[in-house]
Amino acid sequence: MSLFWRIFLLNAAVLVVAATLLLGPVTVSTPVLPGEALAVVVGLALMLVVSAFVLRIGLAPLQRLSRAMTTADLLRPGRRPEVTGPQEMADLITTYNTMLDRLEHDRACSTARVLSAQEAERQRIAQELHDEVGQTLTAVLLQLRRVADRAPGDLREEVALAQEATRGSLDEIRRIARRLRPGVLDELGLVSALRALAAEFTTHGVRVRPHFGGDLSALDDETELVLYRVAQEALTNTARHAAADRVTLALDETAGTVELRVRDDGKGIGDAPEGAGIRGMRERALLIGAALTVAPVGSGGTEVVLRAAVRDGADR
């Protein structure tokens, strides 16, 4: 039973007992006159209504706090219940807000450490794939070429098939290495990396149309990496789940805010709960204090928008 009904029923019990006494031995007349009974009943009803109204007002801050605690999401920071009500409730709401501030800060710090370690591990794996596996497959490809030159006619076709399989594996290794750690992002900057990303997904059956503003500020490395990873995850989700034909990948800057927009014409997200991909994008957005929205658009499709403040970075 809620606190409201507990207090209300207690008050009601007291008032009912008082009314019973007034209608019983403690009365102004015996027997009870109809007018007196009506006055007592009306007075009792009014007191109950007033008691309920006062309790509703007094417990409203506690109900707002309860709703805020139920809907709290550390991936959507900044939502705080208003500090109102009596001193005890105001102190309770203030304590909750302070606790939420600390939790959001601690989560942001721990997420930053985890993602930083993840990027370092990705870079190490990409480097090993490129240096070790890539070089090994390149050596195998050269050896097969020498074997093909000296192989009898009936074996050259099989050697050629082995060459094609090895070449395909080498291309796949390079593609995986680029996705783990895009070298073009470090070497040529964010716009070139996003163009390469759009071209990569276009070759996988989805037409990605890039659109970039002509006057973009230089961003710091962390912001560029977050923008790239969010675009990569959004395009990956589109290719896997959206059944889309066309996707728009846009990057613009307005009034000190850089905006990344990925919009598709697929089947939309509907009422499906957010998966690990979207939650991962939200965690990355928190690293740079950016705002991320994922919403349906038009009659179908989904739009992912990331807005981040422009922070000065080294010239690219």
Side-chain angles (χ1 to χ4, degrees):
M1 185 179 297
S2 66
L3 182 61
F4 169 82
W5 286 111
R6 289 183 186 180
I7 300 176
F8 176 76
L9 291 178
L10 286 174
N11 289 340
V14 174
L15 293 174
V16 168
V17 170
T20 303
L21 292 176
L22 288 175
L23 294 175
V26 183
T27 182
V28 294
S29 62
T30 303
V32 179
L33 299 177
E36 295 175 345
L38 178 62
V40 171
V41 171
V42 171
L44 174 62
L46 289 176
M47 285 187 289
L48 290 175
V49 170
V50 170
S51 177
F53 180 73
V54 171
L55 285 175
R56 181 65 67 182
I57 294 177
L59 295 178
L62 192 59
Q63 293 174 343
R64 288 197 297 270
L65 176 61
S66 177
R67 287 194 297 268
M69 296 175 70
T70 303
T71 59
D73 188 352
L74 296 181
L75 293 180
R76 294 177 175 84
R79 299 179 180 180
R80 300 290 185 271
E82 183 182 359
V83 180
T84 57
Q87 186 62 41
E88 294 82 0
M89 291 187 180
D91 292 341
L92 180 61
I93 298 174
T94 301
T95 302
Y96 171 74
N97 290 343
T98 303
M99 179 193 70
L100 207 55
D101 291 338
R102 186 171 63 252
L103 287 176
E104 289 180 356
H105 178 267
D106 292 345
R107 182 185 176 90
C109 292
S110 61
T111 300
R113 289 192 295 268
V114 169
L115 293 179
S116 177
Q118 184 184 78
E119 288 296 333
E121 185 66 11
R122 285 187 175 197
Q123 185 173 8
R124 183 188 66 81
I125 295 175
Q127 193 70 31
E128 289 186 359
L129 286 175
H130 182 273
D131 294 344
E132 301 295 335
V133 182
Q135 291 181 7
T136 301
L137 288 178
T138 301
V140 171
L141 194 59
L142 294 175
Q143 185 66 28
L144 287 173
R145 185 177 302 171
R146 288 193 293 268
V147 171
D149 293 338
R150 292 178 292 181
D154 56 344
L155 292 179
R156 287 183 179 178
E157 184 177 354
E158 296 183 12
V159 175
L161 292 176
Q163 284 180 293
E164 290 300 321
T166 304
R167 189 176 293 110
S169 298
L170 182 59
D171 292 340
E172 185 67 15
I173 289 295
R174 288 172 177 170
R175 186 186 67 82
I176 294 173
R178 284 196 302 269
R179 297 199 68 186
L180 286 173
R181 184 63 184 182
V184 66
L185 180 62
D186 299 327
E187 298 167 3
L188 301 179
L190 178 62
V191 172
S192 297
L194 291 178
R195 289 189 187 276
L197 189 64
E200 177 185 344
F201 277 90
T202 298
T203 59
H204 284 72
V206 179
R207 287 187 295 171
V208 182
R209 184 180 64 181
H211 172 76
F212 305 115
D215 189 16
L216 297 173
S217 302
L219 303 174
D220 63 289
D221 294 340
E222 188 178 29
T223 301
E224 285 194 345
L225 184 59
V226 169
L227 290 169
Y228 179 84
R229 290 302 186 196
V230 169
Q232 185 182 49
E233 184 62 37
L235 290 175
T236 300
N237 288 342
T238 299
R240 288 179 179 175
H241 309 296
D245 296 323
R246 294 183 301 274
V247 182
T248 300
L249 174 62
L251 183 68
D252 295 290
E253 180 183 337
T254 305
T257 301
V258 61
E259 180 182 272
L260 174 72
R261 188 181 300 270
V262 182
R263 181 171 182 171
D264 64 66
D265 62 349
K267 60 184 181 181
I269 57 177
D271 297 328
E274 293 186 355
I278 296 179
R279 296 186 68 83
M281 288 192 288
R282 294 195 184 281
E283 289 179 345
R284 289 187 179 277
L286 290 178
L287 293 179
I288 58 174
L292 180 78
T293 58
V294 181
V297 290
S299 58
T302 305
E303 186 177 60
V304 177
V305 180
L306 178 71
R307 294 184 179 89
V310 175
R311 300 188 294 181
D312 293 335
D315 293 337
R316 291 171 291 180

